[in-house]
Amino acid sequence: MDFENMKYVTGDGCSRGLCRRGCGRQDRQLNTYDWLADVPGNAESTDLVEVQFKNTRKGYYHNVNGLDLKKGDIVAVEASPGHDIGVVTLTGKLVKLQIKKANLKSMDDIKRIYRIAKPVDIDKMKEAKSREHGTMIQSRQIAKDLNLQMKIGDVEYQGDGNKAIFYYIADERVDFRQLIKVLADTFHVRIEMKQIGARQEAGRIGGTGPCGRELCCATWMKNFVSVSTGAARFQDISLNPQKLAGMCAKLKCCLNYEVDNYIEASRKLPSREVVLQTIDGDYYMFKMDILAGLVTYSTDKRLAANLETISGRRAMEIIEMNKRGEKPNSLSDDDSPKVSTKQVDLLAGESLTRFDKAKKKKSGKSRNKKQQTDNRQAKQQGNRQQNETERTQGANQKRQGAPAKSQNNTSNSGDDAGKQKQHPRNNSQRKRPARNGGQQNTENRKKNENKEA
């Protein structure tokens, strides 16, 4: 092959099956990829054109003048009253499908495209758009002053500035006739009120969902279907309100995307209330993998004990056998009896506290020291108590022994002197009260001595 003289051609989107005309502007909400844009004669097949305005508001118009319109062109369209300025988002055969999807009641509602917007029209539109935020803030204050239970979420001016659309959210029906009069006198434009829900408001504002992608209501979803918690139950999703709620604080619309597939797959699986009876025992359903077609059973009705996972087909076979009064050996597909495998304890010969020996020594020393100090304190306390008891006993003996001493001294003074010489112990006991300083005992002794003399 002659590589030197070979001509290289840079491939574009259309040569690879994708046309750049089909993508168009990607900075607008509810963008639609025109996969028929490179088909010859697609634009001439119909005069219907899809035009998008602020956020998610779209309209469908007739190209009565036969203008060469492409995706991204700014056009002036018919409005009531005056005209509006929008961007062409789709042309050709796909517009008919979009009209069917939008559920238009009558084809007579489709208006005309006047012309491609002039610079004067664009400047006038920009000037009207610049007043939208201030108008929204002021209208909220007016509604609050009128004590209306409603929230004005957005304001959109028409391209020529002669009309303003107020989007509001309200849980109940609101009588806003007085509000329209006040708004018309304040802003000097024609007023139109449109009620939207929480999902429509999230689509108009836009944002990123928990999946990391742009919100479905802001990219392609127009019609909103009611979502219930039954869709989460069919898909075996935990009923956690924080995870099931989207950016609009309602249930996520994506819960309805795959619920039909889950319902179809769950028909091949047994019910949760059915108990499988085998020779080994009864098995209760613990969990199921709906898309994989696997069911996990447990021998305990409330706990995960002896779990076994089998296919849904095998579970249905066991149910049919139980209906006939038969019991298989086990839940396995080959119907072999369950072999009890003894678990091996890897730490059977090891001590679980083998790494705590050093710590135990330290703690033992500290315990011995603490025990010694406790013993010392107990000993000292015992000695103190013994001393106190001895002192109290000595004081009692003093009180009882004083009159006995006076009688003995008067009658038998000579005998007491002899006894004192024979018994030194009694001597010490007699001397103890004098040593303690009893004044009354010393006076009695002096009186007795004087009498004897």
Side-chain angles (χ1 to χ4, degrees):
M1 185 177 290
D2 190 6
F3 291 99
E4 295 180 357
N5 298 324
M6 184 178 290
K7 295 181 179 180
Y8 294 96
V9 179
T10 304
D12 56 3
C14 296
S15 63
R16 293 193 294 270
L18 298 174
C19 182
R20 58 182 177 271
R21 290 180 294 175
C23 297
R25 294 168 60 98
Q26 293 293 324
D27 59 344
R28 306 193 68 83
Q29 295 175 342
L30 298 180
N31 182 73
T32 304
Y33 176 75
D34 190 2
W35 48 276
L36 296 176
D38 57 342
V39 176
N42 177 53
E44 291 80 14
S45 61
T46 179
D47 64 341
L48 292 171
V49 179
E50 184 186 70
V51 180
Q52 185 170 354
F53 303 95
K54 182 182 179 182
N55 294 334
T56 57
R57 185 169 74 91
K58 283 187 176 184
Y60 299 94
Y61 300 88
H62 285 292
N63 185 9
V64 293
N65 297 324
L67 302 173
D68 185 17
L69 299 177
K70 297 179 182 178
K71 197 170 185 179
D73 292 340
I74 301 175
V75 294
V77 298
E78 181 183 359
S80 57
H83 67 275
D84 203 352
I85 306 297
V87 180
V88 176
T89 55
L90 198 61
T91 58
K93 295 181 179 179
L94 290 183
V95 181
K96 293 183 178 180
L97 299 177
Q98 291 291 96
I99 291 174
K100 189 182 294 185
K101 186 179 177 182
N103 294 326
L104 286 180
K105 297 179 181 179
S106 175
M107 295 296 288
D108 298 335
D109 297 338
I110 301 177
K111 299 178 181 179
R112 300 173 297 164
I113 295 178
Y114 287 149
R115 62 184 181 275
I116 294 177
K118 299 176 182 179
V120 179
D121 299 329
I122 296 174
D123 293 340
K124 198 170 184 180
M125 179 192 69
K126 289 181 178 178
E127 191 228 339
K129 298 296 181 186
S130 63
R131 293 181 289 164
E132 290 178 350
H133 184 70
T135 302
M136 181 184 67
I137 300 300
Q138 194 172 354
S139 62
R140 285 181 179 177
Q141 185 62 39
I142 294 172
K144 186 178 180 181
D145 295 339
L146 295 174
N147 295 324
L148 297 177
Q149 300 298 323
M150 60 186 295
K151 174 192 172 185
I152 299 177
D154 193 11
V155 177
E156 180 182 0
Y157 271 94
Q158 197 170 273
D160 56 359
N162 294 328
K163 178 181 173 182
I165 303 174
F166 291 81
Y167 298 93
Y168 71 94
I169 302 172
D171 297 333
E172 300 177 355
R173 190 173 180 179
V174 180
D175 185 9
F176 45 77
R177 288 177 292 182
Q178 183 64 27
L179 176 64
I180 292 176
K181 293 179 183 179
V182 177
L183 293 177
D185 294 339
T186 304
F187 303 111
H188 304 288
V189 293
R190 185 174 179 179
I191 305 298
E192 181 180 349
M193 304 294 292
K194 278 190 178 182
Q195 185 175 4
I196 60 174
R199 290 188 171 93
Q200 287 87 345
E201 184 188 22
R204 292 185 64 83
I205 296 172
T208 305
C211 59
R213 297 176 62 89
E214 195 174 355
L215 296 178
C216 298
C217 54
T219 52
W220 61 272
M221 185 179 287
K222 286 185 177 180
N223 301 323
F224 299 94
V225 184
S226 61
V227 186
S228 63
T229 55
R233 290 193 183 96
F234 278 119
Q235 300 174 61
D236 203 11
I237 301 173
S238 62
L239 300 178
N240 188 351
Q242 294 180 352
K243 292 186 177 181
L244 294 181
M247 302 298 290
C248 58
K250 304 290 183 181
L251 291 175
K252 294 178 182 176
C253 298
C254 55
L255 290 174
N256 285 340
Y257 294 170
E258 299 179 355
V259 66
D260 295 334
N261 295 333
Y262 276 89
I263 293 173
E264 186 67 25
S266 62
R267 292 174 183 172
K268 302 177 183 179
L269 299 177
S271 176
R272 290 183 176 272
E273 287 76 17
V274 177
V275 180
L276 301 186
Q277 297 177 353
T278 62
I279 297 176
D280 297 336
D282 296 343
Y283 286 86
Y284 304 90
M285 183 179 289
F286 182 70
K287 65 177 181 178
M288 65 170 64
D289 190 344
I290 299 176
L291 296 182
L294 299 177
V295 189
T296 302
Y297 284 90
S298 171
T299 54
D300 196 309
K301 193 173 183 179
R302 299 179 180 178
L303 302 176
N306 303 322
L307 297 179
E308 287 195 25
T309 302
I310 59 175
S311 62
R313 179 184 55 80
R314 175 59 179 169
M316 299 300 287
E317 291 177 0
I318 297 175
I319 292 172
E320 293 296 330
M321 292 176 67
N322 294 152
K323 287 180 180 180
R324 296 194 300 266
E326 301 175 1
K327 292 184 180 181
N329 294 326
S330 64
L331 295 181
S332 59
D333 293 336
D334 55 359
D335 200 10
S336 60
K338 188 176 179 181
V339 180
S340 59
T341 57
K342 189 176 180 181
Q343 296 181 355
V344 179
D345 190 1
L346 300 177
L347 298 175
E350 298 291 339
S351 175
L352 295 177
T353 59
R354 60 188 182 277
F355 300 111
D356 302 336
K357 289 181 180 179
K359 292 183 180 179
K360 277 191 173 182
K361 287 180 180 179
K362 289 183 180 179
S363 61
K365 288 181 180 178
S366 60
R367 285 178 185 174
N368 293 334
K369 288 181 180 179
K370 189 176 181 181
Q371 193 171 5
Q372 289 175 2
T373 53
D374 292 342
N375 292 336
R376 288 175 185 172
Q377 291 177 359
K379 218 174 204 182
Q380 292 175 0
Q381 191 172 0
N383 294 334
R384 289 173 186 171
Q385 291 178 357
Q386 189 174 1
N387 293 334
E388 288 178 0
T389 54
E390 289 179 357
R391 287 176 185 174
T392 54
Q393 289 177 1
N396 293 333
Q397 288 178 2
K398 286 177 189 178
R399 293 173 185 172
Q400 295 176 2
K405 282 180 185 179
S406 60
Q407 291 177 4
N408 292 331
N409 288 331
T410 53
S411 60
N412 299 322
S413 61
D415 295 337
D416 290 341
K419 288 180 181 179
Q420 287 175 6
K421 292 179 182 178
Q422 293 175 3
H423 301 285
R425 186 175 179 183
N426 295 334
N427 217 358
S428 63
Q429 287 180 356
R430 288 173 184 172
K431 289 179 181 178
R432 185 176 292 174
R435 189 173 57 192
N436 291 335
Q439 294 179 358
Q440 190 174 1
N441 293 334
T442 53
E443 290 177 358
N444 291 331
R445 285 179 184 174
K446 287 180 181 178
K447 288 178 182 180
N448 293 330
E449 288 176 358
N450 293 329
K451 287 179 181 179
E452 290 177 356

